[in-house]
Amino acid sequence: MGVDLRQVVAAILTLTMFVMLGQMIKRDHFDSLQEKLPGEPQDTQFDSGNVIEKDGLVKLSKRSKGPWIEDSQELKPCWSTTAFDEIEQSRGYVTFSLTNGPEYHVSQIADAVVVARYLAATLVLPDIRGSKPGDERNFEDIYDVEKFVKSLDGVVKVAKELPNEISIRNLAAVKVPNRVTEDHIVENVEPIFKSKGNIRLATYFPTVNMRKTAQKSSVDSVACLGMFGTLELQAEVNEVIDSMIERLRTLSRKSDGQFIAVDLRVEILENKNCHGSGSTGAKSCYNAQEIALFLRKVGYDTDATIYLTQSRWDNSLGVLRDIFPRTYTKESIMPEEKKGKFLESEDSEFEKVIDFYICSQSDVFVPAISGLFYANVAGKRIASGKPQILVPADIPGTSAPVTNYLSPYVAKKNHLAYSCFC
């Protein structure tokens, strides 16, 4: 069968058109990011050649190229346990459980400590419960018991378990809102405690609100201690996380050992409406492609190392790895001998803890999903002098003011952590 010359020419022209189109897209999305736009302010943009100073909040690192932000000075606690009044004689017991992952644990601990302190009750060491029935762990499986007890010395009495004579069935169940207030305790908790003598506490979250308030309260210092001064990981868990962070830094030689942690979990993205809402069109989550474009547009090179909180690799993440080849999930950087214990299931409490603490210690944290994980990782980072939290955005052009990316928790200093640290 003969070949139609016109078809051959048409095919060549079509191929040439696609090549040219690809080059145009590449230039529009990536190459043009390397060019400095005329008239662009030199002190408010992420740019590898400039130092950013925005109200003394952050500045770019001079040790490497790209928009890497330097750590700031670690903040010091504003509270002091010596300032608390002497503990009264225990009037009963407060029990509770830690649930849903470490981003909830820190808030649950804070509320339990506040309630126990106000009621002059003994706080019973909590157990840890996963999202699946029967998924229960002891506190010491994840956290340092001695550190916890010592941190509350002189503030709240802590018992490792309920006395044998007190039955769990006889405990009165009491729900309190996150960041429980003194008024709520007086009106809704204290009457039940006085009547029953012992209670089982559960924190619920009507909203994800970690912004500081102008109104001061007598329970503020206790809440700050509970949230930021009580929980430390036990040695084995801490060792695994340290080894994974060290592995990520080894893989990040081209960026001087610096890496980006992105909270991106496919199963949440699939169940959440990520489309813009309201007059601003703000989104509550971003997918892998949107995160890749965002990171490129703020100036990160394609050799940047990225850690994802996604439990196992998913094909939908391929677009991110195509642009940033050094993109990893925990299964590829965890020591082989630790995988049996710490990657035992896709909903393991250990995995949640690993993600929370790696995101708290990374050089940059990007929350692709809004919520309590983002809010409480932000608090931990602020306290440790790591303000490098970039909130994704759909950037219409090639650049925008840095305040469009820096988390409002940091840019406006409105996170609860700024009330707890000086």
Side-chain angles (χ1 to χ4, degrees):
M1 182 173 65
V3 177
D4 189 331
L5 186 59
R6 288 175 298 178
Q7 290 181 336
V8 173
V9 173
I12 293 173
L13 289 173
T14 301
L15 180 61
T16 303
M17 181 185 69
F18 277 114
V19 171
M20 291 174 64
L21 180 61
Q23 291 298 324
M24 290 169 63
I25 294 173
K26 178 177 182 294
R27 284 197 302 273
D28 180 54
H29 285 295
F30 304 126
D31 296 351
S32 59
L33 294 173
Q34 308 305 319
E35 301 171 4
K36 189 67 177 175
L37 298 181
E40 202 169 301
Q42 296 297 307
D43 59 345
T44 59
Q45 301 291 327
F46 278 122
D47 184 77
S48 59
N50 299 319
V51 172
I52 291 177
E53 293 275 8
K54 183 68 177 178
D55 298 326
L57 289 174
V58 297
K59 61 181 180 179
L60 292 185
S61 173
K62 295 180 180 179
R63 61 184 173 136
S64 62
K65 61 180 181 178
W68 299 98
I69 306 170
E70 290 184 351
D71 287 353
S72 58
Q73 187 173 1
E74 187 170 347
L75 303 179
K76 295 181 180 180
C78 297
W79 73 86
S80 171
T81 55
T82 59
F84 295 121
D85 295 333
E86 188 175 343
I87 304 178
E88 298 180 34
Q89 183 69 30
S90 179
R91 300 173 184 171
Y93 291 87
V94 171
T95 70
F96 68 112
S97 294
L98 299 179
T99 61
N100 299 320
E103 67 269 32
Y104 287 86
H105 296 175
V106 292
S107 296
Q108 291 162 344
I109 287 283
D111 291 326
V113 171
V114 166
V115 171
R117 168 74 184 181
Y118 187 87
L119 298 175
T122 296
L123 189 67
V124 179
L125 200 69
D127 60 353
I128 300 173
R129 302 189 179 187
S131 56
K132 295 180 179 179
D135 185 5
E136 298 182 16
R137 303 181 189 278
N138 294 323
F139 185 85
E140 57 266 29
D141 290 340
I142 292 178
Y143 297 111
D144 186 326
V145 174
E146 299 310 315
K147 159 66 180 176
F148 180 76
V149 174
K150 186 177 180 180
S151 68
L152 293 174
D153 185 34
V155 181
V156 172
K157 289 183 178 178
V158 179
K160 294 189 176 180
E161 56 186 18
L162 271 174
N164 293 331
E165 62 269 21
I166 299 178
S167 171
I168 296 177
R169 295 179 180 178
N170 295 331
L171 297 175
V174 179
K175 289 186 176 182
V176 297
N178 178 37
R179 300 177 68 178
V180 63
T181 63
E182 184 176 345
D183 288 343
H184 186 91
I185 297 172
V186 171
E187 294 174 13
N188 301 285
V189 183
E190 190 172 30
I192 299 174
F193 181 73
K194 286 182 175 179
S195 172
K196 299 293 185 179
N198 306 291
I199 61 174
R200 178 163 182 80
L201 202 67
T203 296
Y204 66 93
F205 295 79
T207 60
V208 178
N209 178 17
M210 284 300 148
R211 294 184 182 89
K212 67 180 181 181
T213 58
Q215 186 176 1
K216 299 294 181 182
S217 168
S218 60
V219 302
D220 286 349
S221 294
V222 179
C224 287
L225 169 63
M227 179 168 283
F228 297 107
T230 58
L231 290 180
E232 283 188 10
L233 298 175
Q234 57 99 319
E236 186 184 9
V237 179
N238 204 45
E239 179 186 321
V240 170
I241 292 172
D242 284 347
S243 67
M244 293 173 70
I245 291 176
E246 183 60 32
R247 175 66 176 153
L248 286 165
R249 297 206 182 283
T250 300
L251 292 166
S252 308
R253 293 190 189 95
K254 290 190 176 182
S255 54
D256 288 343
Q258 299 173 109
F259 71 94
I260 304 165
V262 180
D263 179 30
L264 193 160
R265 289 161 280 166
V266 173
E267 68 277 8
I268 293 182
L269 293 178
E270 290 175 346
N271 296 322
K272 200 167 184 177
N273 180 12
C274 295
H275 299 296
S277 60
S279 59
T280 62
K283 296 171 62 173
S284 61
C285 47
Y286 291 80
N287 62 32
Q289 180 177 349
E290 291 167 327
I291 292 296
L293 292 176
F294 169 74
L295 291 174
R296 283 296 285 141
K297 286 193 174 187
V298 298
Y300 286 102
D301 291 332
T302 56
D303 57 15
T305 297
I306 298 175
Y307 172 81
L308 299 178
T309 56
Q310 170 69 20
S311 291
R312 305 291 187 279
W313 188 259
D314 187 90
N315 289 337
S316 65
L317 303 174
V319 63
L320 181 56
R321 183 173 277 176
D322 287 344
I323 299 173
F324 294 95
R326 291 182 173 84
T327 298
Y328 304 96
T329 56
K330 59 184 71 62
E331 61 184 334
S332 58
I333 59 170
M334 181 179 288
E336 197 65 36
E337 68 275 12
K338 298 295 183 180
K339 289 183 179 180
K341 178 175 182 178
F342 292 96
L343 290 178
E344 59 192 21
S345 72
E346 291 193 5
D347 195 34
S348 166
E349 202 70 20
F350 284 127
E351 292 188 40
K352 296 176 184 178
V353 170
I354 289 168
D355 289 334
F356 186 81
Y357 282 86
I358 289 181
C359 288
S360 298
Q361 297 178 51
S362 62
D363 298 281
V364 176
F365 171 53
V366 179
I369 305 163
S370 64
L372 198 63
F373 187 96
Y374 158 45
N376 277 337
V377 166
K380 197 164 182 63
R381 292 183 67 93
I382 289 166
S384 60
K386 290 184 172 294
Q388 313 92 324
I389 308 167
L390 302 181
V391 176
D394 290 326
I395 305 172
T398 59
S399 61
V402 65
T403 49
N404 282 18
Y405 313 132
L406 195 64
S407 167
Y409 283 138
V410 175
K412 297 180 181 180
K413 289 193 173 183
N414 66 5
H415 195 283
L416 172 65
Y418 287 111
S419 300
C420 296
F421 292 86
C422 304

